[in-house]
Structures are given as structure tokens and as C-alpha cells.
Amino acid sequence: MRFSRRKFIKSSSIIGSSLLFSRSISSDLFASTSENKPIVVSTWKPNLKSNARAMEVLLEGNSSLDAIEEGIKVTESDPNDNSVGLGGIPDELGIVTLDASIMDWNGNAGSVAFLQNILHPISVARLVMEKTNHVMLVGEGAKKFAIENGFKEENLLTEKSNEAWLKWKSKKQKTENHDTIGMLAIDKMNNMSGGVSTSGMSFKLHGRVGDSPIIGAAMFVDNKIGGAVSTGNGEYVMRTLGSFLIVEKMREGFSPQNACEYAIERLFKSRNDFDGVNVSYLALNKSGEVGAYSLKKGFTYCVTTTEENKSYESDCLMK
Ligand code: GLY
């Protein structure tokens, strides 16, 4: 069954809100979201601030690609976000390694993986897309490319993240933390772009790369249809190319909500090892309809229109 926009509102719980403007709150968030009215969605409630920045960029008449880059940079710069950029939890060796990807409305894509000591992987991913014939650069090569293009090397391991690593090292406790930012935006020209940025799984094996830089896994955009992003355990997303799957289901006529549910249900049926694992998807179609669904409880996401900037808690399969 397809969810109407109104039904989506009723089935989601609003858990945070900050008005962008002094206008009164619309009784139906999505009634005001028509073509050519910008919209931004992203994973996780703390990214309301990143959505607000992305919307500012869109309202200035800039492209959805600019909005994605500027919005995600807010999260990458936040030392208190321990899953993205500065302050990201390091790998098993105490080294912060970053993955990111970006995609525009023409199907162009760029990504970086295992990037170290560069604050804004999303910007490097954009440069890979715009300045090279390649889609992905990794590790030392990605860093060399970034430095050649004016990025500075800096230490991204904060005291807090280092302390967390020392504690983990002494006890080798199993930890779960996946707060990857995935963002989708439609601009005034009705063009959609998407992006993802993360420091990946906490205390991962040195060299581990997740789903974030894999186009079609953590993020996919088709400007005729819509886009999808993921957060959670990247290994489970990479095996199923979840974001590509969701966009293809929307192409078949599924609503974003039903497409996200389809991808999670398919994942659920394909394996039986979900202890300590969560996977969540967020999708946006070209009509401005939003869908979100998670394997387990706790996934929050942000929806920002010209009127409102709100977060919601997603429904999940394994209750
Ligand atoms: N989804 C982020 C990661 O697993 O690296």
C-alpha cells in the first residue's frame, strides 16, 4: 500500500522542530512541498543544523549539489558528532579514517574512502566527481589529491574520541555507533543531489571501508525518480545495494515509504545475523514525498522545507 503524504505525517512521530522563519507552522508539512520548492532530508536528529544550512544555500538560489556539500560540512566540522569528520571515532589503531560520496542530478558521482587527516571528505568527493575521470579515490591517493587541491592536513582525533579509543583498547568492548549523515536535496530548479559522510564503524579493522563511498549502497540519486540514503551497519547495506534498490522500486511506482520498507524487509529475509546490527533508509522522491524505515528502533531523520525544520522517529521492522 502506498502511503499518502498526509498518512506519512500521521504514522511518524515528530521529535524535534526548529522553525527556519517566523511563519506559523503549516498544518500539513508536505502540502507546501511542491515542485520547485526546495526540500532537504537527512539522517539523524542532530543534523537539523546541517539541514538548516543546506536550506539556506538553496534559498539563495544555489544548486542542490552546493546545498549537500555545505550542509554535510556542518556535521563534518562538529567535534561532538563522533561518527563523522572531526571527532569521528577512530579505527582499531586509533586512526580516524573517513568515507564520503556525492551524486548530482546528471548522474555524476564522486567518492573517497579511507581518507585521513582531511576535514571535509564530502568536498574532496565532489572534486573527484568534477575534476577527474574517476568516481572513487582512496587512502593516500585521495589525500594527495585533496592536498594538491588546496585542502590542509589536520588532526581529526579529538581528546574525547582518543579517550573512547583508549577505553575500548583496554576492554575491547563491542560497541555500536553508526550516525552517518546521508542527505538528499531538491533545489529551486527541481534538481536533486545526494551525499553521505562518515567515519564508519567505531574501532573497525584498519583499512575497513563501509557503504558510504559505494555509489548505490549508501546513496543513490536519479533525477527523474528520487534518491535514497542509508545509515547503520555498512556491510549489510553493501551486500544489498539498498539505496539503488529503493530508487529502482520508486521507479516501479512504490512510494518512498514503501520502497524503504521493501529494502529492509528484503534484507531481513536474506540473513539471520542481526545481533548488534541496525540498518536504516531514508528516501525522497521528485514530488517531495519522504519515506523512512529501519530494521530496529531508534532511527531519527530530519525533513526541512521552506517553512519547517523537523525531526521524526522512523518506524521499524524488528519491534
Ligand atoms: N554506514 C556507515 C558505515 O558502516 O561505515
Side-chain angles (χ1 to χ4, degrees):
M1 194 175 86
R2 294 185 69 180
F3 278 63
S4 70
R5 294 178 199 176
R6 220 171 265 279
K7 189 160 180 190
F8 161 74
I9 284 293
K10 283 180 187 157
S11 67
S12 301
S13 43
I14 299 172
I15 57 166
S17 171
S18 63
L19 282 176
L20 287 175
F21 305 103
S22 55
R23 289 173 61 169
S24 62
I25 299 173
S26 161
S27 59
D28 183 338
L29 175 64
F30 295 97
S32 62
T33 305
S34 58
E35 281 187 8
N36 300 331
K37 268 204 166 186
I39 181 168
V40 183
V41 299
S42 71
T43 54
W44 301 109
K45 184 183 172 185
N47 292 319
L48 280 170
K49 61 186 185 305
S50 315
N51 273 29
R53 174 67 191 130
M55 181 55 76
E56 249 173 39
V57 171
L58 293 176
L59 291 176
E60 286 162 6
N62 299 297
S63 72
S64 52
L65 193 66
D66 292 332
I68 292 292
E69 182 182 1
E70 291 305 314
I72 288 180
K73 277 168 73 178
V74 172
T75 311
E76 289 177 340
S77 299
D78 182 356
N80 295 316
D81 188 314
N82 66 6
S83 303
V84 180
L86 179 65
I89 295 284
D91 67 12
E92 59 171 354
L93 302 182
I95 299 169
V96 180
T97 75
L98 305 173
D99 299 337
S101 63
I102 199 161
M103 200 164 177
D104 74 8
W105 55 92
N106 288 318
N108 296 310
S111 73
V112 289
F114 196 54
L115 179 64
Q116 293 162 47
N117 299 107
I118 301 289
L119 177 59
H120 291 304
I122 194 68
S123 302
V124 186
R126 181 173 177 173
L127 277 182
V128 172
M129 177 176 88
E130 291 180 338
K131 287 201 161 188
T132 77
N133 295 327
H134 310 309
V135 170
M136 185 190 286
L137 292 180
V138 306
E140 279 304 311
K143 184 156 90 177
K144 177 176 170 286
F145 172 78
I147 290 166
E148 282 169 4
N149 281 282
F151 290 80
K152 287 192 193 76
E153 267 196 85
E154 47 196 298
N155 178 26
L156 303 178
L157 185 66
T158 57
E159 212 170 296
K160 201 169 138 200
S161 294
N162 191 43
E163 272 168 25
W165 174 67
L166 289 170
K167 204 166 156 194
W168 169 82
K169 219 175 128 194
S170 62
K171 295 187 187 153
K172 289 262 163 119
Q173 281 168 338
K174 204 166 175 244
T175 53
E176 263 302 308
N177 101 301
H178 293 289
D179 294 348
T180 302
I181 179 168
M183 183 182 276
L184 299 162
I186 304 178
D187 59 30
K188 286 181 179 175
M189 288 73 75
N190 202 24
N191 287 323
M192 182 183 282
S193 300
V196 180
S197 185
T198 191
S199 54
M201 193 182 284
S202 306
F203 317 122
K204 58 197 174 186
L205 290 180
H206 186 62
R208 182 263 188 188
V209 168
D211 57 326
S212 300
I214 311 295
I215 305 302
M219 184 270 301
F220 194 73
V221 168
D222 182 321
N223 202 42
K224 289 195 189 75
I225 308 297
V229 289
S230 74
T231 180
N233 191 300
E235 279 70 7
Y236 289 71
V237 177
M238 290 155 89
R239 291 185 191 113
T240 50
L241 286 183
S243 293
F244 183 74
L245 177 63
I246 288 167
V247 173
E248 290 312 295
K249 294 315 283 185
M250 292 196 291
R251 192 189 308 280
E252 286 174 18
F254 279 48
S255 67
Q257 182 61 37
N258 283 4
C260 289
E261 289 178 18
Y262 177 89
I264 291 290
E265 278 161 18
R266 185 154 146 179
L267 171 67
F268 182 68
K269 283 179 194 152
S270 72
R271 307 184 68 89
N272 55 10
D273 55 345
F274 296 116
D275 270 3
V277 168
N278 199 7
V279 170
S280 311
Y281 289 113
L282 175 63
L284 173 67
N285 70 13
K286 284 301 294 292
S287 307
E289 291 173 320
V290 181
Y293 203 57
S294 193
L295 189 62
K296 294 179 184 168
K297 199 170 155 33
F299 173 48
T300 58
Y301 61 99
C302 312
V303 179
T304 307
T305 65
T306 51
E307 277 90 22
E308 294 174 348
N309 189 22
K310 282 186 177 175
S311 63
Y312 299 85
E313 180 156 357
S314 156
D315 199 1
C316 65
L317 182 66
M318 296 175 72
K319 293 193 170 114

